Amino acid sequence: MKPLIPNTFGLSVYAKQVETATSVAQLFQYWQRAKAQNLPVLILGQGSNTLFTSDFDGVVILNRIMGTVVRETESHILLHVGAGENWHQLVDKTISEGIKGLENLALIPGCVGSAPIQNIGAYGVEFQKFADYVEVVELATGKITTVLDGQYGYRDSIFKHQYGEGYAIVYVGLTLAKQWQPVLAYGDLKNLNPATVTAQEIFTHICRVRQQKLPDPAVMGNGGSFFKNPVVPTAVFETMRANYPNIPHYPQASGEIKLAAGWLIDQCGLKGYQIGGACVHKDQALVLVNTHHQASAQDVVTLARYVRNRVAEKFSVWLEPEIRFMGKVGEIDAVKLLAQDS
């Protein structure tokens, strides 16, 4: 029987083989063996932020390279972290040990190795703020390269492009300033007092809010935020604001305006909308869920396509998935798939 691929959507998807690598050497070995068998390879963390649209016709390697080393300079705390470590557990551990900076990124699902790929972000903070270096292994040769410039963008990085295919992230270096400044510009963090607030208070507040708003994948399968927040030209935004004066918006350094995808979906009346076993979450429209673990991959794709089309009809804005789509032999173009007729 084929092994189940771990994924937080809770979908019943399978691979020819699933291997667990706890070292760089093991990761290299499994990749080489799969290639010798002429099988496609997918390196996976915890299967969050990923939608498998079908079974995978190859080998899935679970990256479980662990370990955290902490060093100090006069001005910074330096972390060297294995790509297989759980991201939230890292945030929790640093905060509990008095190391400040990562608190805004609490409760983001996934492994540390996924953080630079997506340039994960929440509550006004992105991974790139703390990025020092990322170590990648070239799987064809076993050569390890230290990447200092991740070319980070909104949910984008060099690790989706130049260091995507044929490479795997094995260690991540983070640098956290000892002179800590709270980031309170986003949402109801604005209500906290910057003069007295602690990193622990921000961490606790964000955990509480996320737990209230976001479904636990162990209870209701999901991949986290399904769509990116769209960025539109100012002229487009002004047209929208004329019709929706209270539209949430976030000016960008580029001069464009970032919109809240969840708000756009909610304005279409789609909270709770269901296709098969897939549903728009009743409390957070940005999250598509696998209700009662009964959804098929096609249910999720069909629902995502419907949501995207409805938002485009109402606002003339096309949402792009934040979730990465995986097909039979590797990653597929999510936008292209959703743009197809069902």
Side-chain angles (χ1 to χ4, degrees):
M1 185 177 175
K2 290 182 179 180
L4 187 70
I5 303 172
N7 66 100
T8 61
F9 257 111
L11 298 174
S12 297
V13 286
Y14 300 87
K16 287 188 184 298
Q17 300 171 36
V18 175
E19 306 286 359
T20 300
T22 58
S23 67
V24 178
Q26 209 171 37
L27 186 63
F28 178 61
Q29 174 192 342
Y30 287 141
W31 190 90
Q32 290 282 343
R33 191 168 70 192
K35 286 300 176 183
Q37 297 171 348
N38 202 30
L39 293 173
V41 185
L42 177 63
I43 297 172
L44 202 62
Q46 294 179 332
S48 62
N49 200 58
T50 304
L51 175 67
F52 285 89
T53 61
S54 65
D55 290 346
F56 186 69
D57 287 345
V59 181
V60 172
I61 303 174
L62 304 179
N63 188 336
R64 295 294 180 267
I65 298 172
M66 310 299 276
T68 302
V69 177
V70 182
R71 294 188 299 112
E72 288 190 49
T73 67
E74 189 174 328
S75 58
H76 288 80
I77 304 289
L78 307 177
L79 305 178
H80 178 78
V81 190
E85 292 282 356
N86 178 276
W87 175 264
H88 174 69
Q89 289 175 9
L90 173 69
V91 177
D92 190 7
K93 185 173 186 291
T94 56
I95 297 300
S96 65
E97 293 179 359
I99 301 172
K100 304 169 185 177
L102 298 179
E103 57 280 346
N104 290 53
L105 302 180
L107 269 186
I108 295 178
C111 290
V112 167
S114 302
I117 296 173
Q118 285 292 105
N119 188 24
I120 59 171
Y123 289 92
V125 174
E126 290 183 323
F127 170 84
Q128 65 178 319
K129 179 179 180 181
F130 314 105
D132 188 1
Y133 59 84
V134 175
E135 292 184 6
V136 298
V137 59
E138 185 178 17
L139 293 162
T141 63
K143 177 187 175 185
I144 293 178
T145 298
T146 300
V147 180
L148 299 177
D149 180 7
Q151 297 179 20
Y152 299 107
Y154 177 49
R155 301 299 174 267
D156 195 25
S157 70
I158 199 172
F159 308 106
K160 284 187 175 182
H161 306 288
Q162 182 180 335
Y163 292 107
E165 188 72 25
Y167 292 85
I169 293 173
V170 290
Y171 288 98
V172 173
L174 302 172
T175 178
L176 304 170
K178 291 182 178 179
Q179 285 292 100
W180 175 74
Q181 293 289 331
V183 178
L184 305 173
Y186 190 94
D188 54 3
L189 289 181
K190 293 175 182 175
N191 298 329
L192 301 177
N193 185 344
T196 60
V197 73
T198 66
Q200 181 67 57
E201 286 171 345
I202 295 172
F203 172 83
T204 302
H205 175 84
I206 289 174
C207 286
R208 182 173 64 250
V209 170
R210 289 183 72 96
Q211 286 167 340
Q212 288 171 351
K213 288 185 175 182
L214 300 174
D216 182 349
V219 178
M220 188 178 291
N222 71 88
S225 299
F226 197 93
F227 293 101
K228 298 177 184 178
N229 290 320
V231 178
V232 301
T234 302
V236 172
F237 165 70
E238 293 298 347
T239 300
M240 296 174 73
R241 183 158 65 172
N243 296 316
Y244 302 93
N246 296 322
I247 183 172
H249 60 284
Y250 309 92
Q252 303 297 290
S254 63
E256 297 177 300
I257 306 294
K258 182 186 287 185
L259 306 176
W263 184 89
L264 298 176
I265 297 168
D266 192 15
Q267 294 303 302
C268 295
L270 292 177
K271 278 183 179 175
Y273 186 84
Q274 187 164 343
I275 294 178
C279 182
V280 179
H281 192 256
K282 63 181 180 63
D283 296 324
Q284 174 48 274
L286 196 53
V287 179
L288 307 187
V289 297
N290 178 0
T291 57
H292 311 298
H293 292 279
Q294 294 178 344
S296 67
Q298 190 55 50
D299 289 341
V300 181
V301 171
T302 303
L303 178 62
R305 182 181 291 123
Y306 181 81
V307 168
R308 186 171 184 264
N309 289 343
R310 283 292 307 276
V311 169
E313 288 168 9
K314 190 174 183 67
F315 295 104
S316 297
V317 172
W318 288 99
L319 298 180
E320 294 187 6
E322 179 173 324
I323 298 279
R324 303 180 74 181
F325 284 27
M326 298 295 168
K328 289 182 178 295
V329 296
E331 187 164 5
I332 58 179
D333 189 323
V335 171
K336 190 175 292 185
L337 179 63
L338 295 187
Q340 295 172 3
D341 293 332
S342 55

